[in-house]
Amino acid sequence: MKIILANPRGFCAGVNMAIDALEAALRAFGAPLYVYHEIVHNRPIVERFRAKGVVFVDDIAAVPAGATVLYSAHGVAPEIRRQSAERNLRAIDATCPLVTKVHTEAVRFAREGYTIVLIGHEGHDEVVGTMGEAPANMVLVEDAADVAALPFPPDAKLAYLTQTTLSVDETAGIVAALKTRYPQIVGPSKDDICYATQNRQEAVKDLVPEADVVIVLGSQNSSNSNRLAEIARQAGRPAYLIDSAAELQDDWFRPTDTVLVTAGASAPEDHVEAVVEHLREKFGAEVETRTVREEHVSFPLPRELRILARN
Ligand code: SF4
Protein backbone atom coordinates (compact mmCIF):
# COMPACT_ATOMS: atom_id res chain seq x y z
CA MET A 1 0.00 0.00 0.00
CA LYS A 2 1.07 3.53 -0.71
CA ILE A 3 -0.26 6.62 1.06
CA ILE A 4 -0.17 9.97 -0.71
CA LEU A 5 -0.38 12.71 1.91
CA ALA A 6 -1.86 15.78 0.26
CA ASN A 7 -0.29 19.13 1.04
CA PRO A 8 -1.75 21.60 1.87
CA ARG A 9 -4.24 19.87 4.14
CA GLY A 10 -5.73 20.51 7.57
CA PHE A 11 -5.70 23.70 9.61
CA CYS A 12 -6.00 27.01 7.78
CA ALA A 13 -4.96 30.38 9.17
CA GLY A 14 -8.50 31.19 10.35
CA VAL A 15 -8.87 27.93 12.29
CA ASN A 16 -5.39 28.30 13.84
CA MET A 17 -6.28 31.82 14.97
CA ALA A 18 -9.69 30.79 16.38
CA ILE A 19 -8.19 27.89 18.36
CA ASP A 20 -5.31 30.04 19.66
CA ALA A 21 -7.86 32.72 20.62
CA LEU A 22 -9.97 30.26 22.59
CA GLU A 23 -6.91 28.88 24.37
CA ALA A 24 -5.72 32.41 25.21
CA ALA A 25 -9.19 33.39 26.44
CA LEU A 26 -9.32 30.26 28.63
CA ARG A 27 -5.95 31.16 30.14
CA ALA A 28 -7.03 34.76 30.74
CA PHE A 29 -10.57 34.24 32.02
CA GLY A 30 -10.78 30.58 33.05
CA ALA A 31 -13.79 28.28 32.75
CA PRO A 32 -16.65 28.35 32.18
CA LEU A 33 -16.08 30.25 28.96
CA TYR A 34 -18.85 30.60 26.40
CA VAL A 35 -18.51 30.22 22.64
CA TYR A 36 -21.29 31.20 20.27
CA HIS A 37 -21.59 28.23 17.89
CA GLU A 38 -18.88 25.58 17.49
CA ILE A 39 -15.50 27.34 17.51
CA VAL A 40 -14.75 25.47 14.25
CA HIS A 41 -16.76 22.70 12.61
CA ASN A 42 -14.75 19.80 13.99
CA ARG A 43 -16.09 17.35 16.55
CA PRO A 44 -12.78 16.30 18.17
CA ILE A 45 -11.77 19.94 18.68
CA VAL A 46 -15.15 20.88 20.12
CA GLU A 47 -14.98 17.88 22.48
CA ARG A 48 -11.43 18.80 23.59
CA PHE A 49 -12.53 22.31 24.53
CA ARG A 50 -15.73 21.08 26.15
CA ALA A 51 -13.57 18.94 28.44
CA LYS A 52 -11.69 22.12 29.45
CA GLY A 53 -14.88 23.86 30.53
CA VAL A 54 -15.91 25.65 27.33
CA VAL A 55 -19.68 25.89 26.86
CA PHE A 56 -20.89 26.07 23.26
CA VAL A 57 -24.21 27.86 22.82
CA ASP A 58 -26.46 28.56 19.84
CA ASP A 59 -28.36 31.30 21.64
CA ILE A 60 -26.81 34.35 23.28
CA ALA A 61 -29.60 34.23 25.89
CA ALA A 62 -27.92 31.05 27.21
CA VAL A 63 -24.82 33.07 28.24
CA PRO A 64 -25.09 34.48 31.79
CA ALA A 65 -25.15 38.28 31.91
CA GLY A 66 -21.66 39.75 32.29
CA ALA A 67 -19.86 36.54 31.19
CA THR A 68 -17.24 36.23 28.42
CA VAL A 69 -18.35 35.00 25.01
CA LEU A 70 -16.17 34.22 22.02
CA TYR A 71 -17.59 34.35 18.49
CA SER A 72 -16.54 31.39 16.32
CA ALA A 73 -14.44 31.53 13.13
CA HIS A 74 -17.64 31.53 11.06
CA GLY A 75 -18.68 35.03 12.15
CA VAL A 76 -21.89 36.47 13.56
CA ALA A 77 -24.67 38.79 12.47
CA PRO A 78 -24.81 42.33 13.91
CA GLU A 79 -27.95 41.29 15.79
CA ILE A 80 -25.85 38.84 17.84
CA ARG A 81 -23.38 41.63 18.73
CA ARG A 82 -26.34 43.77 19.81
CA GLN A 83 -27.74 40.97 22.00
CA SER A 84 -24.29 40.47 23.58
CA ALA A 85 -24.00 44.18 24.37
CA GLU A 86 -27.50 44.15 25.85
CA ARG A 87 -26.47 41.31 28.18
CA ASN A 88 -23.29 43.16 29.06
CA LEU A 89 -21.09 40.32 27.80
CA ARG A 90 -17.37 40.60 27.27
CA ALA A 91 -17.24 39.62 23.58
CA ILE A 92 -14.10 38.32 21.85
CA ASP A 93 -14.40 38.13 18.09
CA ALA A 94 -12.56 35.14 16.57
CA THR A 95 -14.23 35.54 13.17
CA CYS A 96 -11.83 34.63 10.37
CA PRO A 97 -10.74 37.86 8.61
CA LEU A 98 -11.69 36.26 5.28
CA VAL A 99 -15.28 35.89 6.52
CA THR A 100 -15.22 39.46 7.82
CA LYS A 101 -14.19 40.53 4.31
CA VAL A 102 -17.43 39.05 2.93
CA HIS A 103 -19.45 40.84 5.65
CA THR A 104 -17.79 44.12 4.70
CA GLU A 105 -18.65 43.55 1.03
CA ALA A 106 -22.27 42.82 1.96
CA VAL A 107 -22.51 46.07 3.93
CA ARG A 108 -20.95 48.05 1.07
CA PHE A 109 -23.19 46.58 -1.64
CA ALA A 110 -26.31 47.09 0.49
CA ARG A 111 -25.32 50.69 1.19
CA GLU A 112 -24.88 51.29 -2.56
CA GLY A 113 -28.42 50.07 -3.20
CA TYR A 114 -27.68 46.60 -4.57
CA THR A 115 -29.77 43.53 -3.91
CA ILE A 116 -27.25 40.84 -2.99
CA VAL A 117 -27.40 37.25 -4.19
CA LEU A 118 -25.41 35.15 -1.72
CA ILE A 119 -24.21 31.78 -3.00
CA GLY A 120 -24.01 29.37 -0.07
CA HIS A 121 -25.57 26.61 2.00
CA GLU A 122 -28.77 27.38 3.85
CA GLY A 123 -28.42 27.24 7.62
CA HIS A 124 -24.58 27.22 7.65
CA ASP A 125 -23.30 29.42 10.50
CA GLU A 126 -21.31 31.59 8.09
CA VAL A 127 -24.30 32.13 5.78
CA VAL A 128 -26.56 33.05 8.70
CA GLY A 129 -23.97 35.59 9.89
CA THR A 130 -23.40 37.14 6.45
CA MET A 131 -27.12 37.42 5.68
CA GLY A 132 -27.58 39.17 9.00
CA GLU A 133 -25.53 42.13 7.70
CA ALA A 134 -28.28 43.13 5.26
CA PRO A 135 -31.27 40.83 5.78
CA ALA A 136 -33.66 42.98 3.76
CA ASN A 137 -31.29 43.19 0.77
CA MET A 138 -30.04 39.63 0.44
CA VAL A 139 -31.29 36.35 -1.03
CA LEU A 140 -29.59 32.97 -0.87
CA VAL A 141 -29.03 30.67 -3.84
CA GLU A 142 -27.62 27.17 -3.49
CA ASP A 143 -27.50 26.09 -7.14
CA ALA A 144 -28.28 27.04 -10.74
CA ALA A 145 -31.94 26.03 -10.29
CA ASP A 146 -32.24 28.68 -7.56
CA VAL A 147 -30.75 31.22 -9.97
CA ALA A 148 -33.40 30.34 -12.59
CA ALA A 149 -36.12 30.91 -9.97
CA LEU A 150 -34.92 34.38 -8.87
CA PRO A 151 -37.82 36.85 -9.06
CA PHE A 152 -35.85 39.96 -10.08
CA PRO A 153 -36.49 41.85 -13.35
CA PRO A 154 -33.75 41.60 -16.01
CA ASP A 155 -32.38 45.09 -15.23
CA ALA A 156 -32.29 44.72 -11.43
CA LYS A 157 -29.35 46.26 -9.58
CA LEU A 158 -27.70 43.06 -8.36
CA ALA A 159 -24.45 41.98 -6.73
CA TYR A 160 -23.29 38.51 -5.72
CA LEU A 161 -21.14 37.20 -2.90
CA THR A 162 -20.23 33.66 -1.85
CA GLN A 163 -19.64 31.60 1.25
CA THR A 164 -15.89 31.07 1.76
CA THR A 165 -15.86 27.26 1.73
CA LEU A 166 -17.72 26.28 -1.44
CA SER A 167 -16.68 24.08 -4.34
CA VAL A 168 -14.65 26.28 -6.71
CA ASP A 169 -16.04 24.56 -9.83
CA GLU A 170 -19.69 24.46 -8.75
CA THR A 171 -19.57 28.09 -7.68
CA ALA A 172 -18.10 29.09 -11.04
CA GLY A 173 -21.13 27.41 -12.66
CA ILE A 174 -23.58 29.28 -10.44
CA VAL A 175 -21.83 32.61 -11.06
CA ALA A 176 -21.95 31.90 -14.82
CA ALA A 177 -25.72 31.22 -14.56
CA LEU A 178 -26.16 34.52 -12.68
CA LYS A 179 -24.16 36.43 -15.31
CA THR A 180 -26.16 34.85 -18.14
CA ARG A 181 -29.45 35.89 -16.57
CA TYR A 182 -28.23 39.23 -15.21
CA PRO A 183 -25.21 40.40 -17.28
CA GLN A 184 -25.05 43.62 -15.25
CA ILE A 185 -24.50 41.77 -11.93
CA VAL A 186 -21.37 42.84 -10.05
CA GLY A 187 -19.24 40.70 -7.73
CA PRO A 188 -16.45 40.97 -5.18
CA SER A 189 -13.15 42.37 -6.44
CA LYS A 190 -11.48 39.06 -5.54
CA ASP A 191 -13.01 35.62 -5.02
CA ASP A 192 -14.82 35.07 -1.72
CA ILE A 193 -13.84 31.38 -1.68
CA CYS A 194 -10.83 31.49 0.61
CA TYR A 195 -7.27 30.50 -0.24
CA ALA A 196 -7.40 27.45 2.08
CA THR A 197 -10.55 26.05 0.50
CA GLN A 198 -9.13 26.59 -2.98
CA ASN A 199 -5.73 25.07 -2.21
CA ARG A 200 -7.12 21.94 -0.51
CA GLN A 201 -9.48 21.36 -3.44
CA GLU A 202 -6.67 21.92 -5.95
CA ALA A 203 -4.48 19.36 -4.14
CA VAL A 204 -7.21 16.69 -4.22
CA LYS A 205 -7.96 17.40 -7.88
CA ASP A 206 -4.27 17.10 -8.81
CA LEU A 207 -3.58 13.94 -6.80
CA VAL A 208 -6.82 11.95 -7.06
CA PRO A 209 -6.01 10.41 -10.47
CA GLU A 210 -3.20 8.46 -8.77
CA ALA A 211 -5.42 7.17 -5.95
CA ASP A 212 -7.70 4.14 -5.55
CA VAL A 213 -9.32 5.37 -2.31
CA VAL A 214 -9.51 8.79 -0.64
CA ILE A 215 -9.68 9.50 3.10
CA VAL A 216 -10.71 13.00 4.17
CA LEU A 217 -10.32 13.90 7.83
CA GLY A 218 -13.09 16.26 8.83
CA SER A 219 -16.52 16.46 10.44
CA GLN A 220 -19.83 15.84 8.71
CA ASN A 221 -20.86 19.48 9.28
CA SER A 222 -17.64 20.89 7.82
CA SER A 223 -18.46 22.48 4.48
CA ASN A 224 -14.92 22.56 3.07
CA SER A 225 -14.24 18.94 4.16
CA ASN A 226 -17.40 17.72 2.41
CA ARG A 227 -16.30 19.48 -0.77
CA LEU A 228 -12.97 17.54 -0.72
CA ALA A 229 -14.79 14.19 -0.50
CA GLU A 230 -17.15 15.32 -3.28
CA ILE A 231 -14.27 16.15 -5.62
CA ALA A 232 -12.81 12.68 -5.09
CA ARG A 233 -16.17 11.02 -5.75
CA GLN A 234 -16.69 13.13 -8.88
CA ALA A 235 -13.36 11.70 -10.08
CA GLY A 236 -14.84 8.23 -9.60
CA ARG A 237 -12.95 7.29 -6.43
CA PRO A 238 -14.53 6.05 -3.20
CA ALA A 239 -14.04 8.77 -0.59
CA TYR A 240 -14.66 8.58 3.16
CA LEU A 241 -15.12 11.63 5.39
CA ILE A 242 -14.15 10.65 8.94
CA ASP A 243 -13.36 12.40 12.22
CA SER A 244 -10.73 9.93 13.40
CA ALA A 245 -8.85 6.69 12.72
CA ALA A 246 -11.39 4.87 14.92
CA GLU A 247 -13.89 5.16 12.03
CA LEU A 248 -11.60 3.44 9.48
CA GLN A 249 -12.89 0.13 8.15
CA ASP A 250 -10.26 -2.25 6.81
CA ASP A 251 -12.56 -3.53 4.04
CA TRP A 252 -12.40 -0.08 2.41
CA PHE A 253 -8.87 -0.98 1.28
CA ARG A 254 -6.99 -3.59 -0.77
CA PRO A 255 -3.39 -4.25 0.28
CA THR A 256 -2.00 -2.81 -2.96
CA ASP A 257 -4.13 0.36 -2.99
CA THR A 258 -2.82 3.87 -3.27
CA VAL A 259 -4.65 5.89 -0.60
CA LEU A 260 -4.88 9.66 -0.85
CA VAL A 261 -5.15 11.20 2.62
CA THR A 262 -6.17 14.80 3.15
CA ALA A 263 -7.92 16.88 5.80
CA GLY A 264 -10.39 19.75 5.85
CA ALA A 265 -9.39 23.17 7.16
CA SER A 266 -10.64 22.43 10.68
CA ALA A 267 -9.29 18.87 11.07
CA PRO A 268 -6.35 18.44 13.48
CA GLU A 269 -3.12 16.88 12.23
CA ASP A 270 -2.90 14.30 15.05
CA HIS A 271 -5.94 12.56 13.54
CA VAL A 272 -4.22 12.48 10.14
CA GLU A 273 -1.18 10.92 11.82
CA ALA A 274 -3.35 8.29 13.51
CA VAL A 275 -4.86 7.31 10.13
CA VAL A 276 -1.40 6.98 8.59
CA GLU A 277 -0.22 4.93 11.57
CA HIS A 278 -3.21 2.59 11.28
CA LEU A 279 -2.62 1.99 7.56
CA ARG A 280 1.08 1.43 8.21
CA GLU A 281 0.38 -1.16 10.87
CA LYS A 282 -2.41 -2.97 9.01
CA PHE A 283 -1.12 -2.82 5.44
CA GLY A 284 2.55 -1.87 5.72
CA ALA A 285 1.76 1.37 3.90
CA GLU A 286 4.57 3.63 2.74
CA VAL A 287 4.03 7.37 2.86
CA GLU A 288 4.80 10.00 0.27
CA THR A 289 4.00 13.66 0.95
CA ARG A 290 3.05 15.64 -2.14
CA THR A 291 3.00 19.42 -1.99
CA VAL A 292 0.79 21.03 -4.59
CA ARG A 293 0.98 24.55 -3.21
CA GLU A 294 2.84 26.34 -0.40
CA GLU A 295 0.88 28.34 2.18
CA HIS A 296 2.30 31.17 4.28
CA VAL A 297 -0.84 32.77 5.74
CA SER A 298 -1.40 33.64 9.38
CA PHE A 299 -3.81 35.91 11.20
CA PRO A 300 -3.27 37.82 14.46
CA LEU A 301 -5.29 37.07 17.59
CA PRO A 302 -8.54 39.04 18.01
CA ARG A 303 -7.99 42.66 19.04
CA GLU A 304 -9.55 42.11 22.49
CA LEU A 305 -6.89 39.49 23.33
CA ARG A 306 -4.01 41.52 21.87
CA ILE A 307 -4.98 44.45 24.09
CA LEU A 308 -5.09 42.13 27.08
CA ALA A 309 -1.62 40.77 26.27
CA ARG A 310 -0.22 44.34 26.15
CA ASN A 311 -1.62 45.27 29.59
S1 SF4 B 1 -11.62 27.92 5.76
FE1 SF4 B 1 -11.00 29.91 4.92
S2 SF4 B 1 -12.60 31.35 5.58
FE2 SF4 B 1 -12.81 29.48 6.84
S3 SF4 B 1 -11.60 29.89 8.67
FE3 SF4 B 1 -10.23 28.89 7.21
S4 SF4 B 1 -9.19 30.59 6.09
FE4 SF4 B 1 -11.00 31.42 7.12
Side-chain angles (χ1 to χ4, degrees), residues 12 14-15 73 96 98-99 164-165 194-197 265:
C12 60
V15 165
C96 174
L98 301 181
V99 174
T164 55
T165 51
C194 77
Y195 80 96
T197 299

Short mmCIF file of all heavy atoms in Angstrom, two decimals, residues 12 14-15 73 96 98-99 164-165 194-197 265, ligand 1:
data_model
loop_
_atom_site.label_atom_id
_atom_site.label_comp_id
_atom_site.label_asym_id
_atom_site.label_seq_id
_atom_site.Cartn_x
_atom_site.Cartn_y
_atom_site.Cartn_z
N CYS A 12 -6.24 25.76 8.52
CA CYS A 12 -6.00 27.01 7.78
C CYS A 12 -5.66 28.10 8.80
O CYS A 12 -5.75 27.89 10.01
CB CYS A 12 -7.25 27.39 7.01
SG CYS A 12 -8.65 27.64 8.14
N GLY A 14 -7.34 30.76 9.55
CA GLY A 14 -8.50 31.19 10.35
C GLY A 14 -8.77 30.23 11.50
O GLY A 14 -9.10 30.65 12.62
N VAL A 15 -8.64 28.94 11.24
CA VAL A 15 -8.87 27.93 12.29
C VAL A 15 -7.75 28.01 13.33
O VAL A 15 -8.01 27.99 14.54
CB VAL A 15 -8.96 26.53 11.66
CG1 VAL A 15 -8.82 25.44 12.72
CG2 VAL A 15 -10.29 26.38 10.91
N ALA A 73 -15.11 31.13 14.38
CA ALA A 73 -14.44 31.53 13.13
C ALA A 73 -15.44 31.86 12.02
O ALA A 73 -15.11 32.57 11.08
CB ALA A 73 -13.51 30.41 12.67
N CYS A 96 -12.93 34.62 11.33
CA CYS A 96 -11.83 34.63 10.37
C CYS A 96 -11.88 35.93 9.56
O CYS A 96 -12.94 36.31 9.07
CB CYS A 96 -11.94 33.43 9.43
SG CYS A 96 -10.70 33.49 8.12
N LEU A 98 -11.19 36.47 6.65
CA LEU A 98 -11.69 36.26 5.28
C LEU A 98 -13.22 36.16 5.26
O LEU A 98 -13.85 36.38 4.23
CB LEU A 98 -11.04 35.01 4.67
CG LEU A 98 -9.51 35.12 4.60
CD1 LEU A 98 -8.91 33.88 3.97
CD2 LEU A 98 -9.09 36.37 3.82
N VAL A 99 -13.82 35.83 6.40
CA VAL A 99 -15.28 35.89 6.52
C VAL A 99 -15.69 37.35 6.74
O VAL A 99 -16.65 37.84 6.13
CB VAL A 99 -15.77 34.99 7.68
CG1 VAL A 99 -17.27 35.17 7.91
CG2 VAL A 99 -15.45 33.52 7.40
N THR A 164 -17.33 31.23 1.99
CA THR A 164 -15.89 31.07 1.76
C THR A 164 -15.46 29.64 1.47
O THR A 164 -14.34 29.42 1.01
CB THR A 164 -15.10 31.53 3.01
OG1 THR A 164 -15.59 30.80 4.13
CG2 THR A 164 -15.24 33.02 3.25
N THR A 165 -16.32 28.66 1.75
CA THR A 165 -15.86 27.26 1.73
C THR A 165 -16.58 26.40 0.69
O THR A 165 -16.77 25.21 0.89
CB THR A 165 -16.06 26.63 3.13
OG1 THR A 165 -17.41 26.87 3.54
CG2 THR A 165 -15.11 27.20 4.14
N CYS A 194 -12.12 31.11 0.02
CA CYS A 194 -10.83 31.49 0.61
C CYS A 194 -9.68 30.66 0.04
O CYS A 194 -9.89 29.60 -0.55
CB CYS A 194 -10.91 31.35 2.13
SG CYS A 194 -10.81 29.65 2.67
N TYR A 195 -8.48 31.15 0.28
CA TYR A 195 -7.27 30.50 -0.24
C TYR A 195 -7.18 29.05 0.23
O TYR A 195 -6.76 28.16 -0.52
CB TYR A 195 -6.01 31.29 0.20
CG TYR A 195 -5.62 30.97 1.62
CD1 TYR A 195 -4.64 30.01 1.89
CD2 TYR A 195 -6.29 31.53 2.69
CE1 TYR A 195 -4.33 29.65 3.19
CE2 TYR A 195 -5.99 31.19 3.99
CZ TYR A 195 -5.02 30.25 4.24
OH TYR A 195 -4.72 29.88 5.53
N ALA A 196 -7.57 28.80 1.51
CA ALA A 196 -7.40 27.45 2.08
C ALA A 196 -8.35 26.46 1.40
O ALA A 196 -7.96 25.33 1.08
CB ALA A 196 -7.65 27.49 3.59
N THR A 197 -9.58 26.90 1.19
CA THR A 197 -10.55 26.05 0.50
C THR A 197 -10.04 25.75 -0.91
O THR A 197 -10.04 24.60 -1.36
CB THR A 197 -11.91 26.77 0.44
OG1 THR A 197 -12.36 26.99 1.78
CG2 THR A 197 -12.94 25.97 -0.32
N ALA A 265 -10.09 22.05 6.52
CA ALA A 265 -9.39 23.17 7.16
C ALA A 265 -9.55 23.21 8.68
O ALA A 265 -8.84 23.95 9.35
CB ALA A 265 -9.87 24.48 6.55
S1 SF4 B 1 -11.62 27.92 5.76
FE1 SF4 B 1 -11.00 29.91 4.92
S2 SF4 B 1 -12.60 31.35 5.58
FE2 SF4 B 1 -12.81 29.48 6.84
S3 SF4 B 1 -11.60 29.89 8.67
FE3 SF4 B 1 -10.23 28.89 7.21
S4 SF4 B 1 -9.19 30.59 6.09
FE4 SF4 B 1 -11.00 31.42 7.12
#
